Amino acid sequence: MTTTGRDLPTAAENPSLVTACGRRIAVRCLRLAPADRPITRVTLDVGQDRGGEPGTWAALTADEARALARLLLRHAGLAEGGDGPVEPSRQGVVSS
């Protein structure tokens, strides 16, 4: 199995942000290329906090990444002064 670097953002695009609490969240495209079935995921890497506590990461399918984006946008709108919590669409979201 090999990984490919195609379609990855350039250094100038900076695919990460640093939150107010100091965590860096990096967003990347991971491509694994086994001979029988290529796998592509959107990865989120939440780095260590300022105190050195470890972060975490997730690998999402394209549909999962879009569902997460919808949830983030909805809640960002609510945080900016919306009318209160709204139940997000469950399409593409899997709960455990």
Side-chain angles (χ1 to χ4, degrees):
M1 184 178 330
T2 61
T3 59
T4 64
R6 291 182 316 169
D7 299 332
L8 295 178
T10 65
E13 293 175 6
N14 192 10
S16 66
L17 66 91
V18 178
T19 67
C21 65
R23 287 197 186 244
R24 178 175 301 277
I25 301 175
V27 181
R28 295 187 177 87
C29 181
L30 172 67
R31 293 205 167 146
L32 304 174
D36 58 335
R37 188 181 69 149
I39 300 168
T40 304
R41 295 289 185 268
V42 175
T43 63
L44 300 177
D45 181 2
V46 180
Q48 295 180 348
D49 68 10
R50 290 181 186 158
E53 288 294 318
T56 190
W57 67 276
L60 309 169
T61 65
D63 286 341
E64 291 165 342
R66 287 185 188 96
L68 177 59
R70 283 191 297 275
L71 290 170
L72 289 169
L73 288 170
R74 177 170 297 183
H75 286 275
L78 293 172
E80 289 178 326
D83 294 333
V86 176
E87 182 62 29
S89 165
R90 301 300 294 167
Q91 181 178 356
V93 178
V94 178
S95 3
S96 44

